[in-house]
Amino acid sequence: MSAQFFETEPGPDDLAAPVARTTYGDVRGVRAGSVAVWRSIPYAAAPSGTSRFAPPQPPSTWEGVRDCTNFGQIAPQTMGAMVPVDSDLTMGEDCLWLNVWSSRHDNARDRTSNADEPRPVLVWLHGGAYCLGTAAQQIYDGHKLAATGDVVVVGVNYRLGALGFLDLSSLGDDFVPNLGLRDQIAALEWVRDNIAAFGGDPGNVTLFGESSGAGCVTALLTSPRAGGLFHKAIAQSPPATTVFGQERAAVVARRFLELMDLPAARAKELLACPIDRIVEAAGVLLDEIPLKEPGRLAAAPVVDGELLPTYPIDRFQQGRSHRVPLIIGTNKDEASLFRLFRSPIMPVTPDAVNVMLRDVAAGHPEWSPERIAEITSAYPDLAKTRGALAMSTDAAFRMPAHWVADAHAQHSPTWMYRFDYATPMLRAARVGAGHATELPYVFGNFGTLNHDPTFWLGGRKIAMEVSGRMMRRWVAFATHGVPAALDGSKHWPPYRLSARTTLVVDTVDRAVDDPDRELHSVWGEQAVGFS
């Protein structure tokens, strides 16, 4: 990671720049109105060489003031259309850093009356199917969320794909599983130890994420190592049952070695081979597996017996998730975006969905042909694209979120939502409330895509109102533990198994009891997924 260090006294132009003291050294950011911003603060050392497949280690300390005004390297990955990344960002292994947006941060020489009041902290885990994305994406800019809620927002960059979520531990002692999750835990430990210097309250941390980032949230909610590092959680469209066992992980590891043209006896050479070669082989693997086995991913969290003692969904249903308040939900039309981008990550054709069902049934001997028939009967259009999209949405996101909510609500305050809102253009494009379409509403960031079509047919005014309500609810939850919009908006009752009350987020929010009642009755309470 490139960094600038200031050994001398700051000049007049530097005095307005926010400076914070971390346990590793001082860091300088920039001011943007009422918000102070730091980019790419290292929370761990670069995981390269012999550390490439090892747990994160603390960064080296530095003298002077480290310049944290520009983004550092993003995690090595195969770029794809579904996750737009700025062209001026560079990939590299020095990618374990985080961003901080702090409202009303003050240097010691620029102190105000409220400078000593610690503010709630929201820590963001980006999505991208465990193999794509970065905390440097414009859509995750925390400026508006920090300013709206008078909070501190942290965006975490972590290892992805073969370097973060491909379990190679079956190949030898040089490889450790769940490195992406370990990076996230290291970032949360950094927040615990350092966020007070940025105006944040280390005793009031909300962990939130979307898609695979939300899958990490649900996994960490069941990880003993993560206990006490966050005090509330928000999971937006979590693939909560996409967690693999070690046997499955070993099969994928062997295939990865084949693509690297390495025999098992030479697996250690992965520590020294060019990173571009690893990224290229991983790209093939990450596309190959979901095409051959619809519904499966190549890279995902793995039950390792330590960080994840068993499948997270089992831990939830055993009542062993961390006792913290939780918001969890999905989007109405999750699978539509995968159809639009022709992504293999989710099965979106009738044939692919049928293969997925057969594979899931094969991994669950207790599933009888009658059970399969009962589930498929709930999707009368299964032979058409519309039915395939609905089945894929429910299998990957909707039902896993409900299974988590049903279990977690037994011991901790839980709220469920369904994001239904779509602008006229997204409705016309048959995307609707597709996967990830809630992100600009949560962060208040629209227009972060080149030639963004969101408002081509209007709808901006209503979208701004929906966004305002979502931001206020998320901030109220982080601040007080209750997602009230505090503006007279619809009351959002807690989720309880007896009613399964869900907030349907739309032009006008409404609370609906068990809007997915038919799905519950056919899928049942026994959680199923790939192992």
Side-chain angles (χ1 to χ4, degrees):
M1 183 187 307
S2 62
Q4 299 175 14
F5 299 93
F6 297 83
E7 303 290 351
T8 59
E9 289 296 316
D13 293 338
D14 295 318
L15 292 178
V19 175
R21 175 155 294 176
T22 78
T23 52
Y24 306 105
D26 291 355
V27 291
R28 176 179 285 113
V30 295
R31 290 196 188 278
S34 63
V35 176
V37 184
W38 291 262
R39 300 183 179 94
S40 296
I41 304 172
Y43 65 83
S48 57
T50 57
S51 299
R52 177 173 279 171
F53 295 99
Q57 298 299 315
S60 300
T61 58
W62 57 84
E63 299 294 330
V65 181
R66 185 183 188 116
D67 183 67
C68 290
T69 58
N70 298 307
F71 291 120
Q73 296 177 340
I74 68 172
Q77 58 192 274
T78 303
M79 296 298 185
M82 283 198 69
V83 180
V85 174
D86 291 347
S87 59
D88 59 345
L89 296 173
T90 59
M91 291 189 293
E93 292 185 85
D94 195 0
C95 60
L96 301 187
W97 48 259
L98 49 78
N99 307 316
V100 177
W101 293 267
S102 178
S103 60
R104 296 182 294 127
H105 175 273
D106 300 290
N107 295 334
R109 59 179 174 270
D110 183 24
R111 192 171 298 280
T112 63
S113 60
N114 56 19
D116 293 326
E117 299 173 7
R119 293 183 287 285
V121 181
L122 292 102
V123 178
W124 174 252
L125 303 181
H126 70 79
Y130 300 108
C131 63
L132 299 167
T134 169
Q137 288 169 247
Q138 292 182 46
I139 198 168
Y140 305 138
D141 187 295
H143 180 278
K144 291 179 181 176
L145 195 58
T148 296
D150 192 17
V151 296
V152 177
V153 179
V154 178
V156 178
N157 216 61
Y158 52 91
R159 280 174 282 185
L160 301 168
L163 302 171
F165 289 95
L166 201 62
D167 178 13
L168 305 177
S169 60
S170 59
L171 304 179
D173 294 337
D174 295 301
F175 306 96
V176 176
N178 289 319
L179 290 172
L181 292 178
R182 294 174 191 274
D183 293 345
Q184 294 161 4
I185 289 173
L188 286 167
E189 291 171 341
W190 185 95
V191 168
R192 177 195 62 198
D193 298 337
N194 293 281
I195 206 63
F198 298 81
D201 182 356
N204 186 10
V205 174
T206 298
L207 183 65
F208 72 136
E210 184 268 343
S211 192
S212 58
C216 293
V217 171
T218 53
L220 293 175
L221 274 165
T222 70
S223 173
R225 277 276 310 278
L229 293 176
F230 58 95
H231 313 95
K232 306 177 191 72
I234 303 174
Q236 301 169 206
S237 304
T241 55
T242 302
V243 178
F244 299 132
Q246 290 176 314
E247 182 178 342
R248 166 68 185 174
V251 171
V252 176
R254 289 195 296 271
R255 177 56 182 152
F256 180 64
L257 279 187
E258 290 176 3
L259 292 169
M260 290 292 298
D261 292 323
L262 285 175
R266 293 168 51 198
K268 193 170 183 176
E269 293 181 22
L270 290 171
L271 299 175
C273 74
I275 192 63
D276 290 348
R277 188 177 165 204
I278 288 178
V279 169
E280 182 181 2
V284 174
L285 181 72
L286 296 167
D287 282 345
E288 176 184 279
I289 285 182
L291 283 172
K292 289 184 176 179
E293 306 172 72
R296 288 187 190 270
L297 297 178
V302 173
V303 174
D304 59 10
E306 182 222 338
L307 199 70
L308 296 183
T310 186
Y311 292 100
I313 196 65
D314 291 342
R315 295 272 290 186
F316 276 106
Q317 295 194 325
Q318 293 162 4
R320 303 182 72 182
S321 53
H322 297 311
R323 265 59 175 168
V324 301
L326 170 67
I327 292 176
I328 189 168
T330 58
N331 294 358
K332 183 180 181 182
D333 309 301
E334 295 279 5
S336 64
L337 205 67
F338 298 89
R339 175 190 59 81
L340 179 70
F341 285 101
R342 294 180 171 84
S343 170
I345 292 174
M346 282 188 75
V348 295
T349 65
D351 287 344
V353 166
N354 284 325
V355 172
M356 176 189 71
L357 282 174
R358 288 198 298 269
D359 283 355
V360 172
H364 296 272
E366 70 277 8
W367 271 36
S368 64
E370 291 77 19
R371 174 92 187 274
I372 294 285
E374 185 179 5
I375 291 174
T376 56
S377 69
Y379 302 87
D381 295 327
L382 194 56
K384 302 176 182 177
T385 299
R386 181 172 57 185
L389 291 173
M391 168 68 83
S392 194
T393 289
D394 296 340
F397 298 109
R398 185 99 71 233
M399 289 313 302
H402 274 295
W403 289 322
V404 167
D406 284 353
H408 196 74
Q410 299 300 306
H411 59 69
S412 296
T414 301
W415 288 265
M416 172 158 273
Y417 72 88
R418 194 181 75 197
F419 185 80
D420 282 21
Y421 181 72
T423 63
M425 183 63 200
L426 292 183
R427 290 198 300 270
R430 294 189 299 162
V431 172
H435 190 66
T437 57
E438 90 286 1
L439 288 173
Y441 297 85
V442 169
F443 283 93
N445 296 331
F446 293 90
T448 60
L449 305 176
N450 290 332
H451 310 295
D452 189 343
T454 303
F455 300 121
W456 284 1
L457 297 179
R460 183 181 294 273
K461 181 176 184 295
I462 294 175
M464 295 303 113
E465 294 172 355
V466 174
S467 175
R469 291 198 304 273
M470 289 195 76
M471 284 197 290
R472 287 190 292 273
R473 290 190 191 279
W474 266 224
V475 165
F477 179 72
T479 304
H480 305 292
V482 177
L486 304 179
D487 60 0
S489 296
K490 180 68 181 179
H491 173 58
W492 187 356
Y495 184 91
R496 294 186 175 88
L497 193 57
S498 57
R500 291 193 172 107
T501 305
T502 301
L503 185 75
V504 176
V505 179
D506 209 333
T507 303
V508 176
D509 294 346
R510 62 189 191 278
V512 181
D513 285 348
D514 207 353
D516 302 313
R517 182 178 292 105
E518 291 184 7
L519 295 179
H520 284 106
S521 63
V522 297
W523 283 90
E525 297 180 1
Q526 181 184 8
V528 294
F530 291 110
S531 58

